Amino acid sequence: MSRPTRLAEALSHARCASRQGAPHAPLPDTAIDGAGSSLSRRQLLGAGAGLTLLTTLAGCGGLATAPTARLDAAQRQRAADRLGWGATQAQLAMIERDGWSHYVEGQLRADPKAPILAAAQRQIDALDCSRRDLLTRVREADALRRSADQAGDEAARVAARQAYQQAQGLGAREAAHRQLLRQLYSEQQLLEHISWFWFNHFNVHQGKRDVRLLLADYEEQALRPHALGSFRQMLGAVARHPAMLRYLDNDQNGQRALNENYARELLELHTLGVNGGYRQQDVQELARVLTGFGVRIDAEPPKLPPQRMAQYHRDGLFEFNPARHDAGDKQLLGHTIRGRGMAELDEVLDLLVAHPATARFISQKLAVFFLSDQPPAAVVDAMARAFERSRGDIPATLRPLLHAAEFFAPVAGSSASGPGALAKFKDPQHYLLSSLRAGFEQQPLINSQPLQQWLRRLGQGLYDKLTPDGYPLTAEAWDSPGQMTVRFEIARQIGNGAPALFRPEGTTTPVPMPDLQALRARVGPALAPATQQALAQTSTPQQWLTLWLSSPDFMYR
């Protein structure tokens, strides 16, 4: 057994403690309150303003826990690790240059269509899902499926089925490759980070019917445009996207054959939460609202009488068919929803977004994702108030979190941590992407298949979560001894340059190793003494990188 392996196994037994009560930070040069207003130090210190402003911002999670305008090195590292998929040197330099408040506001105004690293953007632009629209791709694949059913001999049927499965598989592979490229190389890390959160929140499984073909469009049209916008608009986009309608069987939901699957998850997982106060009757009534919302691949509309056709709606693959809709009044959460067709759902979604249980559920889940398995109650309270006041504006909801002192306090157990710093254990995707971003930030990913396979080995394959609740966000799902063993194996491959990711298949061109001197200078001060001592015993850059990626310090963000 090599020295790095022995050291990594020894370090694996250490765990960082999670404690609450981090001290408040000094007064910032510029503070951003929960509503997005910019306040200068001069204004903060103006006659009579101090007490009033403290009271106001404490109520929305602003000034009382706002970071300093210029974070120190350990704070910058922690904040960057929290905000996105792992800090890079370029990202840290930007935070140091702009100050945290300005950097955060820029991240909150991210453009989903902005290009990323040129070599990665070229790969995205060349994908079939980037060049052709969803309707064309789905209709072509469906023609293959139908030809398999209608073929006259077995050989033709087998060939058509294989072609159909290949089209489906291509759809999933392209969506995964595009997602990983963006997460690794986009400067808009908050957008890429929270886009994953929303997919996980509105999870669909690639194995259901033709969902593999729909994944790329689901991410691009239903989630990313609203990921840092309006929760209400995203909820409506998801409700009308064929990926969700297929996955939770709402395209089979009609007045004569009620299907409650999507209605139940819309209440329990997407909005109110399991303890949100709804009843089984509310599920049934919402299922009635959702009757007629479905998917249509055929170019021709259904044959409907003129009075029905006036209510028919078609947008791409989505259709609302009034002939399948229950037109009666519904009683939902104490409100009467008048039967009038497709507009009923918009009324219900408005009702759900305005409900206090939704504000609490979404805020708690965001805080767990970004900050801690047990986030401070004051932070969650401030987020929930911002969500309610803004009617589900996602940037407004995030500001109290991103400006909380706990967000940038170094991880407990490190040499730079103060009392009460929280620690968030990395799930597999955070672990793998932060490993690659830390060591190979400018090395373009060429083949994402090994990375996708690593995620599957670690139990978090892209689009592989079968149930609608998405992957767990807490440590207990990911910190088992078996998980650590696989992480150490992968750490050795990444520590040795991960050539399968970064060079064309069949070539032997060496992959440049990271600038170890710069990496040591960046992360060294924040490492625990035991980790520093272990790393000092390594003799090669490969050993140092492998051991660092295997250390308890790197397992947390």
Side-chain angles (χ1 to χ4, degrees), residues 452-466:
Q452 294 184 45
Q453 290 298 331
W454 289 343
L455 284 167
R456 291 190 186 98
R457 284 189 65 196
L458 290 167
Q460 203 182 27
L462 298 177
Y463 319 122
D464 282 352
K465 180 60 173 171
L466 186 62

Side-chain angles (χ1 to χ4, degrees), residues 172-209:
R173 287 194 305 275
E174 287 196 339
H177 188 61
R178 184 180 65 185
Q179 180 190 146
L180 292 169
L181 287 172
R182 285 170 167 169
Q183 290 167 344
L184 284 170
Y185 301 112
S186 175
E187 292 182 357
Q188 300 182 130
Q189 277 294 291
L190 179 58
L191 172 63
E192 304 310 331
H193 202 202
I194 202 169
S195 291
W196 186 95
F197 171 86
W198 291 125
F199 184 95
N200 199 58
H201 182 76
F202 296 109
N203 182 58
V204 300
H205 181 251
Q206 65 170 313
K208 186 72 173 280
R209 297 167 69 184

Side-chain angles (χ1 to χ4, degrees), residues 78-84 193 370-372 407 422-424 557:
R78 174 65 182 281
D81 282 338
R82 289 286 195 194
L83 186 85
H193 202 202
F370 279 99
L371 185 60
S372 169
F407 194 84
L422 300 175
K424 178 71 178 174
R557 57 184 176 94

Side-chain angles (χ1 to χ4, degrees), residues 30-40 43 53 56-57 60-63 101-102 104-106 108-109 382 386-387 389-390 393-403:
T30 302
I32 307 295
D33 72 5
S37 300
S38 179
L39 306 157
S40 71
Q43 290 171 311
L53 205 48
T56 302
L57 293 184
C60 64
L63 179 62
S101 294
H102 288 288
V104 164
E105 287 306 305
L108 289 170
R109 293 191 298 268
F387 186 100
R389 280 197 314 272
S390 66
D393 181 74
I394 296 168
T397 305
L398 288 175
R399 283 190 182 97
L401 171 71
L402 299 177
H403 290 292

Side-chain angles (χ1 to χ4, degrees), residues 336-450:
T336 299
I337 309 298
R338 298 297 179 191
R340 60 195 188 282
M342 196 166 69
E344 296 169 32
L345 180 59
D346 288 321
E347 181 180 352
V348 170
L349 297 184
D350 289 341
L351 181 66
L352 292 174
V353 171
H355 200 291
T358 298
R360 168 64 52 175
F361 179 63
I362 298 299
S363 298
Q364 175 75 22
K365 193 170 181 179
L366 282 166
V368 168
F369 177 69
F370 279 99
L371 185 60
S372 169
D373 291 0
Q374 296 180 326
V379 173
V380 177
D381 290 344
M383 294 173 68
R385 287 194 297 271
F387 186 100
E388 283 196 74
R389 280 197 314 272
S390 66
R391 300 182 180 181
D393 181 74
I394 296 168
T397 305
L398 288 175
R399 283 190 182 97
L401 171 71
L402 299 177
H403 290 292
E406 292 89 345
F407 194 84
F408 62 92
V411 172
S414 72
S415 60
S417 67
L422 300 175
K424 178 71 178 174
F425 190 79
K426 294 177 181 177
D427 62 25
Q429 189 143 349
H430 281 97
Y431 175 72
L432 291 174
L433 293 178
S434 62
S435 298
L436 297 172
R437 281 176 58 81
F440 303 93
E441 63 180 281
Q442 292 299 320
Q443 189 70 31
L445 180 74
I446 293 177
N447 180 13
S448 67
Q449 286 302 305

Side-chain angles (χ1 to χ4, degrees), residues 79 104 150 214 362 381 516 522:
V104 164
Q150 299 167 0
L214 308 173
I362 298 299
D381 290 344
L516 204 57
R522 170 156 65 91

Side-chain angles (χ1 to χ4, degrees), residues 2-3 14 152 159 163 200-201 207 227 237 270 278 294 380 394 511 515 533 537:
S2 67
R3 175 184 290 173
N200 199 58
H201 182 76
H270 298 170
Y278 66 90
V380 177
I394 296 168
V511 176
D515 183 344
Q533 184 178 5
Q537 300 178 52

Side-chain angles (χ1 to χ4, degrees), residues 16-282:
C16 299
S18 294
R19 300 188 296 273
Q20 293 188 8
H24 294 160
L27 195 66
D29 287 339
T30 302
I32 307 295
D33 72 5
S37 300
S38 179
L39 306 157
S40 71
R41 177 184 288 271
R42 181 176 298 171
Q43 290 171 311
L44 294 178
L45 298 179
L51 180 59
T52 302
L53 205 48
L54 279 169
T55 303
T56 302
L57 293 184
C60 64
L63 179 62
T65 53
T68 57
R70 300 296 172 186
L71 306 183
D72 65 29
Q75 290 173 328
R76 290 194 296 272
Q77 179 77 37
R78 174 65 182 281
D81 282 338
R82 289 286 195 194
L83 186 85
W85 291 106
T88 64
Q89 188 57 52
Q91 184 183 18
L92 293 169
M94 192 178 302
I95 295 172
E96 182 178 17
R97 182 194 69 205
D98 296 343
W100 180 243
S101 294
H102 288 288
Y103 180 77
V104 164
E105 287 306 305
Q107 290 286 306
L108 289 170
R109 293 191 298 268
D111 177 6
K113 298 185 180 299
I116 61 174
L117 183 75
Q121 187 63 49
R122 285 194 294 271
Q123 294 182 54
I124 291 175
D125 294 342
L127 297 175
D128 188 57
C129 65
S130 299
R131 294 183 292 106
R132 298 199 301 152
D133 66 275
L134 176 65
L135 198 58
T136 299
R137 291 182 290 113
V138 169
R139 283 176 174 166
E140 285 184 1
D142 192 62
L144 294 171
R145 180 189 62 80
R146 294 186 183 190
S147 65
D149 295 337
Q150 299 167 0
D153 60 87
E154 182 62 20
R157 284 194 292 272
V158 169
R161 288 194 196 105
Q162 289 178 341
Y164 176 66
Q165 292 301 324
Q166 288 170 357
Q168 287 258 40
L170 177 64
R173 287 194 305 275
E174 287 196 339
H177 188 61
R178 184 180 65 185
Q179 180 190 146
L180 292 169
L181 287 172
R182 285 170 167 169
Q183 290 167 344
L184 284 170
Y185 301 112
S186 175
E187 292 182 357
Q188 300 182 130
Q189 277 294 291
L190 179 58
L191 172 63
E192 304 310 331
H193 202 202
I194 202 169
S195 291
W196 186 95
F197 171 86
W198 291 125
F199 184 95
N200 199 58
H201 182 76
F202 296 109
N203 182 58
V204 300
H205 181 251
Q206 65 170 313
K208 186 72 173 280
R209 297 167 69 184
D210 59 352
V211 168
R212 283 179 291 174
L213 282 168
L214 308 173
L215 289 168
D217 189 82
Y218 182 53
E219 291 180 323
E220 196 73 0
Q221 301 301 328
L223 301 177
R224 280 175 61 82
H226 312 293
L228 286 170
S230 164
F231 180 76
R232 167 62 182 85
Q233 290 182 16
M234 180 162 50
L235 199 62
V238 168
R240 291 167 173 81
H241 198 279
M244 181 59 70
L245 296 170
R246 287 282 209 225
Y247 173 59
L248 290 178
D249 303 314
N250 204 79
D251 60 336
Q252 300 175 31
N253 182 22
Q255 60 176 326
R256 293 184 181 142
L258 208 62
N259 188 302
E260 299 177 1
N261 288 355
Y262 180 37
R264 184 176 307 280
E265 308 310 347
L266 180 53
L267 295 175
E268 179 177 322
L269 296 178
H270 298 170
T271 56
L272 302 179
V274 67
N275 298 315
Y278 66 90
R279 300 173 300 167
Q280 173 59 23
Q281 181 184 350
D282 295 313

